[in-house]
Amino acid sequence: MTDNSKWKFKARLYLLPTDRGGRKTAFKAGGSLYRPQFYLESPDFSTSCFIDRIDGKSEMAPGESGIVEMRLLKPELFAGQIEPGTKFKIREVADPIGWGIIMEVR
């Protein structure tokens, strides 16, 4: 993959319920509609991510899980780290609102 701007991956994403610190509302998939922070603990970096697609639905609510297609604003921060089986968190500011596992990198 030479063009990092085109890095995409498929992941199973789990959102925390509102009563456990998750979002209060659902978010819609698609381009720049929703841009949480993608975070890996090692290395300790984060970048905005885009959730382009949610399999089988147009939005995802707190407490739900599903298969999503995502891409990173600055994938170069995670060179060698984005591969199937990698666990990640998504945050809004510093608050974790969910976590996921990468299934496939494109």
Side-chain angles (χ1 to χ4, degrees), residues 45-74:
F45 293 127
S46 67
T47 189
S48 292
C49 65
F50 303 92
I51 299 174
D52 293 321
R53 186 170 179 270
I54 305 168
D55 278 359
K57 51 188 167 182
S58 62
E59 65 180 32
M60 201 166 174
E64 291 186 335
S65 66
I67 305 297
V68 298
E69 290 183 13
M70 302 174 68
R71 60 192 160 91
L72 304 178
L73 182 63
K74 294 187 176 187

Side-chain angles (χ1 to χ4, degrees), residues 3 8-9 16 22-23 25-26 31 48 73 78 83 87-88 99 102-104:
D3 183 358
K8 291 184 176 186
F9 57 92
L16 294 172
R23 291 176 52 85
T25 60
S48 292
L73 182 63
F78 302 99
E83 58 189 36
K87 293 180 182 178
F88 63 90
W99 63 278
I102 296 174
M103 300 168 57
E104 175 185 328

